Amino acid sequence: MPESTIDAALTLLAQGRDVLLVGDDGSGKTWCLSQLAGALRKRGNDAVVVPGRLGSAADPLAPFAATTVPLDGWDGASAGRLVAAFAEELNGPRSRLLVDDLDALEVLAIAALRAVLDRTGARLVATAGRRSVAIGGVPRPFADLLAERAPADVAVPPLSFEAMSRFVAARLRGRPDAELIVSLSAHSGSNPRAAAALVDVAVASGAIGQRDGLWSEVGALEEASAASVVHAFTGRLSPEEQSALELLAWAGPLPPRELDRLVDPAILLSLNQRGRLSWSHAEVGHDARVSPPALSRGLREQLTPERRYRLVETVERTFGADFVPDREHSAIDPFVVSGLDSDDYWRWSAEFAGQVKERVAVREAAARALWTELPTVENACAYFRTLTVQRPAETLGRIFAETRFGDRDSVTARLQFSLYELQWLTWTGADDRIPGWLDGLGARLGAKASFVRKVHETFRLHSDGVPLTSELIARLSAPGTSDYEHTWSTLLGVALLLEAGSPEDALERIDTRNGLEEGTLASIHLDFLRTEALLALGRLEDAEEWSRRCAEHAYDQLSPLGFQFHALGVAQTLVQRGRFEAAWRALSTGLRLGSGGPFAVPQPPLLLLGAIIQAQLGDLELAAALLAEGERTGTLHLPPHPSRAELARAAILRAEGDLTACDALLWEAGAAEAALGHLATACMFWTDLTAVTLEQAAEISAVMDRIDSPLHHAVFDVKVAMGTGDERQIVTALDRSGELIAPQLAAAAVDAIDRLRAAAGQEPLDDEGRAELIGDHRPRFDQDRGGELLSDREREVAILAKAGLSNRDMAHRLFVSVRTIENHMHRLLKKLGYSNRRQLRDEWNPDL
């Protein structure tokens, strides 16, 4: 977050532009300004910082007296002497006047600032709230100054997932786990000030503590007092603004047509410009709510009974006693889901997570209250369906222990309850208890106990090393006698068919399913498996469109389970197309929703795919942290998909440059899976091999004869051809692959041809030959060579390297290791076509 903001500001200043750092209250504008001042001074600039918030109507020029400019004998009233003193201090051609909270300066202070700038010719760098030039149509004192100088806006966005991780680690002086990061992101809206307040209170109250060497949410963050967040954000608000926030926090999300009847629109505009309102991204009638979510909770906690009574009076007077807020939501913008170049993306992501967690908390509380009052099997199952936020194992254990069975319980309810219990036992690692538990199911389920045994056998296929055969798939996925059994049989059958390398059969079974209840784990998981089947069949556009459509629907329903599954699906389709930055944004939004425990599966796959993506992007520290987290929180996969942990570990080895160890790990893992008949997983490992020997090619060919996956056939066709050392075979394989292979593989194939030509003493491919060779890959490949596909972090590193910073200086600036910087440098130099840093400094133009 702030690092890229500072770099953008430095670049604009070097081009002779004024800069306005724009962001919400608490977003880190002041920190960015102080870091920018230090960077400017290090570069030999004269930089004076003016704290605008110190001004008042009684003493408008006070901010100028709090600077490093000597004002001996100044009585606080002579603007002329003040201007003269600043002109003497800022007398060089590289002078910079930095004003924090420009929008807080009074009219006289703005006049003095204008006079200083005019007299010295200094460039202005200032911070301000977003879109805060006018309140209620009345221009603010600094509006004319902005109109005259037309500064370039640089956004100070909310913290991204990785930025929040670094921020919290610095605050706690230790590494936090992913679950804590997503929880803090959701509660704080990814606002640094809110996050800092929550961290401090949560540590003091014991909600955050160390576990297995990591800072974790050992209690419930939502139970820690949010009073400090209220103090952090309301101290500078007017009484009218505070009252409006209390009303909205109490009433909940409201559409504008209802909100405008309750609160003066000018007050709403002011709150929105401060970032204290968030809006759902609906196509019509956005809902507004207090932001960040922790502020909303803190305001509700502080309401006295008398104040609540007054709020009820206000609402009833406006809408009547039967008022119920409109809670409509519509589909998410696909542009936002894709994660492409949206300044508001991280704000949207954090706000969405907050909305989901509020909705989940309400539904869970209602279901828990019903079960507590009447602990029947049906009420217990209804409660389990709401548990999309992880709860302690002992809490769930108490529900299983205290639920009462009765003669009126349906067989389906008992079966559903038993499968929930099986998932819970597996999640807690109680494998030694499961055989005895299964033996006792006959008394509860009668003949249906055999169905639970079949599901358990499917869960254990991979860990028990049972070979996957067509006969086994047919037996495990045979339809049951009830709709509930048929649902599970369909889910297990589709997953096993995909594992066996039969995506066409899996897709047919998905598309002919009947009787599945929408929004259940089974229907959501089948929709996700449809994305995987489409990918395996090489229908990349269909897979991306389907996964996005499903993610939009999950957003519309505020379904954390659905959105996590389909964020994973979207990310997989984007990775296949080589769009790693976009994949990470989609994935990290799913991560923000946290882990749902035994009944919500996607968290470990999200973490492990995130590790693979971050290794590809060069952030090895974050990749290693996500890998460790994914292994530590490894839980039941429904159905039994093997873990991606080995794939993530190999990706890190490759990023570190150890290609031999990477390929050895991938080959051994793939061979083990192939021996068990898990052909799709074997292919998943083998498609990441950097080189394929002739012996390996023969074994791969034997496996490919057994599967029907155009995607894997295309990838292996190119990789095996590259291993032959025959240019003609590589050309033929590339021609056959079309758009099924990622641009990175197309680039590697062309590089292999150039190496073969160089070894034979021939000229490398020219542009015409490359165009004829790679066909559909040409635009993407040329962009990769030309630098257009530099990731955001690679571009940051390139700009800093061009400015002359060493690897160690860049590592310190970006809060990463020197090794990570070295990896970024290696990748970006290769992408830009340079052989050393000198060429980068002399030839690269970041504006092109």
Side-chain angles (χ1 to χ4, degrees), residues 171-501:
R171 192 86 183 178
L172 293 172
R173 294 183 175 85
R175 187 161 70 83
D177 65 16
E179 181 64 21
L180 177 57
I181 295 304
V182 298
S183 187
L184 281 169
S185 297
H187 286 286
S188 69
S190 288
N191 182 292
R193 186 186 297 172
L198 284 172
V199 165
D200 294 344
V201 172
V203 170
S205 66
I208 293 176
Q210 287 193 311
R211 184 170 54 194
D212 299 331
L214 299 175
W215 284 95
S216 306
E217 189 176 355
V218 296
L221 196 62
E222 60 265 28
E223 294 177 5
S225 171
S228 59
V229 180
V230 176
H231 299 323
F233 287 100
T234 61
R236 297 171 179 172
L237 299 182
S238 68
E240 293 78 14
E241 290 170 330
Q242 291 194 44
S243 178
L245 278 182
E246 284 183 347
L247 179 58
L248 184 54
W250 173 80
L254 293 170
R257 64 179 178 274
E258 295 171 352
L259 195 57
D260 286 348
R261 295 171 62 187
L262 283 173
V263 182
D264 184 342
I267 297 296
L268 293 176
L269 179 60
S270 175
L271 291 173
N272 192 56
Q273 289 166 346
R274 291 178 179 274
R276 298 289 67 81
L277 298 181
S278 68
W279 302 82
S280 63
H281 289 248
E283 294 176 355
V284 179
H286 306 296
D287 281 357
R289 66 196 70 226
V290 174
S291 180
L295 175 60
S296 180
R297 176 166 63 86
L299 289 167
R300 290 194 298 271
E301 289 173 354
Q302 293 187 359
L303 290 176
T304 63
E306 188 275 336
R307 178 59 179 153
R308 285 194 179 89
Y309 175 75
R310 297 300 178 192
L311 293 175
V312 171
E313 275 192 329
T314 300
V315 171
E316 290 185 350
R317 188 167 53 248
T318 306
F319 300 113
D322 297 327
F323 168 73
V324 176
D326 184 357
R327 293 292 191 269
E328 291 182 0
H329 298 273
S330 66
I332 181 177
D333 184 349
F335 174 79
V336 178
V337 175
S338 72
L340 295 176
D341 301 329
S342 172
D343 289 341
D344 289 333
Y345 179 80
W346 294 115
R347 176 178 293 108
W348 168 83
S349 178
E351 290 173 354
F352 170 61
Q355 294 170 24
V356 168
K357 291 213 169 189
E358 283 195 38
R359 172 67 64 86
V360 166
V362 170
R363 289 178 174 175
E364 182 185 331
R368 182 174 63 248
L370 183 59
W371 176 84
T372 301
E373 182 179 350
L374 192 61
T376 64
V377 172
E378 297 226 359
N379 286 344
C381 291
Y383 182 25
F384 292 141
R385 283 195 291 272
T386 70
L387 292 177
T388 51
V389 176
Q390 186 165 307
R391 293 295 177 231
E394 55 270 21
T395 299
L396 301 179
R398 186 174 65 85
I399 300 170
F400 288 113
E402 297 179 8
T403 295
R404 297 197 298 266
F405 288 81
D407 295 338
R408 301 180 63 180
D409 296 331
S410 67
V411 174
T412 298
R414 288 171 176 256
L415 182 59
Q416 186 176 3
F417 182 90
S418 299
L419 286 178
Y420 276 126
E421 193 167 7
L422 173 62
Q423 294 173 62
W424 171 71
L425 288 168
T426 306
W427 178 69
T428 57
D431 293 345
D432 56 334
R433 291 176 50 197
I434 293 178
W437 176 81
L438 287 170
D439 290 340
L441 275 184
R444 178 192 296 180
L445 298 176
K448 297 292 183 183
S450 62
F451 185 80
V452 179
R453 287 184 176 276
K454 184 172 69 172
V455 173
H456 178 248
E457 184 181 351
T458 310
F459 288 173
R460 298 286 306 178
L461 276 182
H462 192 265
S463 57
D464 288 348
V466 177
L468 186 60
T469 64
S470 56
E471 294 77 16
L472 183 64
I473 294 174
R475 180 174 66 81
L476 293 178
S477 61
T481 57
S482 67
D483 287 344
Y484 186 73
E485 292 171 89
H486 180 64
T487 295
W488 270 89
S489 298
T490 301
L491 175 60
L492 298 177
V494 167
L496 294 174
L497 285 169
L498 283 173
E499 269 297 282

Side-chain angles (χ1 to χ4, degrees), residues 738-753:
E739 291 189 335
L740 293 184
I741 65 171
Q744 288 78 9
L745 180 54
V750 173
D751 286 343
I753 291 175

Side-chain angles (χ1 to χ4, degrees), residues 448-747:
K448 297 292 183 183
S450 62
F451 185 80
V452 179
R453 287 184 176 276
K454 184 172 69 172
V455 173
H456 178 248
E457 184 181 351
T458 310
F459 288 173
R460 298 286 306 178
L461 276 182
H462 192 265
S463 57
D464 288 348
V466 177
L468 186 60
T469 64
S470 56
E471 294 77 16
L472 183 64
I473 294 174
R475 180 174 66 81
L476 293 178
S477 61
T481 57
S482 67
D483 287 344
Y484 186 73
E485 292 171 89
H486 180 64
T487 295
W488 270 89
S489 298
T490 301
L491 175 60
L492 298 177
V494 167
L496 294 174
L497 285 169
L498 283 173
E499 269 297 282
S502 302
E504 191 71 61
D505 293 340
L507 188 62
E508 181 180 357
R509 188 157 184 178
I510 292 171
D511 289 342
T512 57
R513 60 185 176 176
N514 294 311
L516 288 185
E517 183 182 349
E518 184 182 353
T520 61
L521 172 62
S523 66
I524 290 170
H525 200 162
L526 279 172
D527 285 339
F528 167 72
L529 293 178
R530 191 174 195 276
T531 298
E532 293 203 323
L534 291 170
L535 279 174
L537 290 169
R539 295 167 55 181
L540 305 188
E541 290 188 5
D542 291 343
E544 186 171 348
E545 180 183 354
W546 171 255
S547 60
R548 289 182 186 226
R549 192 189 313 162
C550 291
E552 290 170 2
H553 183 68
Y555 171 83
D556 187 55
Q557 301 297 317
L558 286 183
S559 165
L561 186 62
F563 196 89
Q564 282 189 311
F565 262 115
H566 300 306
L568 180 62
V570 169
Q572 289 182 173
T573 63
L574 293 171
V575 164
Q576 187 57 44
R577 290 175 173 268
R579 293 160 57 190
F580 294 99
E581 289 282 354
W584 170 247
R585 293 193 182 186
L587 195 73
S588 60
T589 301
L591 281 171
R592 285 179 187 269
L593 301 180
S595 173
F599 314 133
V601 181
Q603 189 76 352
L606 283 166
L607 290 163
L608 294 171
L609 181 57
I612 295 167
I613 292 171
Q614 286 301 322
Q616 179 67 33
L617 294 175
D619 194 335
L620 298 188
E621 288 184 322
L622 182 56
L626 292 170
L627 170 59
E629 191 75 10
E631 291 183 302
R632 187 172 73 91
T633 59
T635 184
L636 179 64
H637 296 271
L638 296 177
H641 281 240
S643 170
R644 295 174 183 264
E646 297 301 321
L647 201 63
R649 193 170 289 109
I652 294 173
L653 287 171
R654 182 169 52 250
E656 291 174 338
D658 194 345
L659 301 184
T660 301
C662 168
D663 280 0
L665 177 60
L666 290 170
W667 179 255
E668 291 172 8
E673 298 295 341
L676 291 174
H678 290 268
L679 304 185
T681 300
C683 290
M684 179 180 72
F685 287 118
W686 288 345
T687 53
D688 260 23
L689 289 167
T690 57
V692 177
T693 67
L694 292 177
E695 294 79 7
Q696 289 171 344
E699 191 166 339
I700 290 173
S701 178
V703 169
M704 295 308 296
D705 289 340
R706 299 166 57 192
I707 72 171
D708 177 25
S709 175
L711 177 68
H712 291 127
H713 279 282
V715 171
F716 286 130
D717 207 13
V718 174
K719 292 205 170 189
V720 170
M722 290 167 62
T724 64
D726 186 327
E727 178 179 338
R728 187 181 300 276
Q729 287 195 39
I730 299 175
V731 170
T732 302
L734 275 174
D735 184 55
R736 285 198 299 255
S737 70
E739 291 189 335
L740 293 184
I741 65 171
Q744 288 78 9
L745 180 54

Side-chain angles (χ1 to χ4, degrees), residues 739-811:
E739 291 189 335
L740 293 184
I741 65 171
Q744 288 78 9
L745 180 54
V750 173
D751 286 343
I753 291 175
D754 282 344
R755 286 195 299 272
L756 291 173
R757 288 181 165 232
Q762 300 174 353
E763 291 293 321
L765 291 166
D766 57 19
D767 286 344
E768 184 177 350
R770 184 175 290 114
E772 182 179 353
L773 174 61
I774 64 178
D776 292 331
H777 301 297
R778 161 125 186 130
R780 292 180 291 177
F781 180 74
D782 284 352
Q783 284 179 339
D784 198 44
R785 290 287 228 200
E788 289 298 324
L789 287 185
L790 289 183
S791 70
D792 291 343
R793 181 47 61 86
E794 286 169 345
R795 184 172 176 81
E796 287 179 299
V797 171
I799 290 173
L800 294 175
K802 185 174 178 65
L805 273 70
S806 68
N807 285 353
R808 187 168 298 280
D809 287 340
M810 287 189 282

Side-chain angles (χ1 to χ4, degrees), residues 53-100:
R53 187 63 64 178
L54 297 181
S56 64
D59 191 2
L61 298 180
F64 295 94
T67 68
T68 57
V69 177
L71 297 173
D72 296 336
W74 181 53
D75 58 6
S78 174
R81 291 184 61 188
L82 181 149
V83 172
F86 271 76
E88 183 176 347
E89 185 78 10
L90 299 172
N91 57 10
R94 295 163 64 84
S95 299
R96 310 288 187 250
L97 185 56
L98 293 81
V99 182
D100 194 20

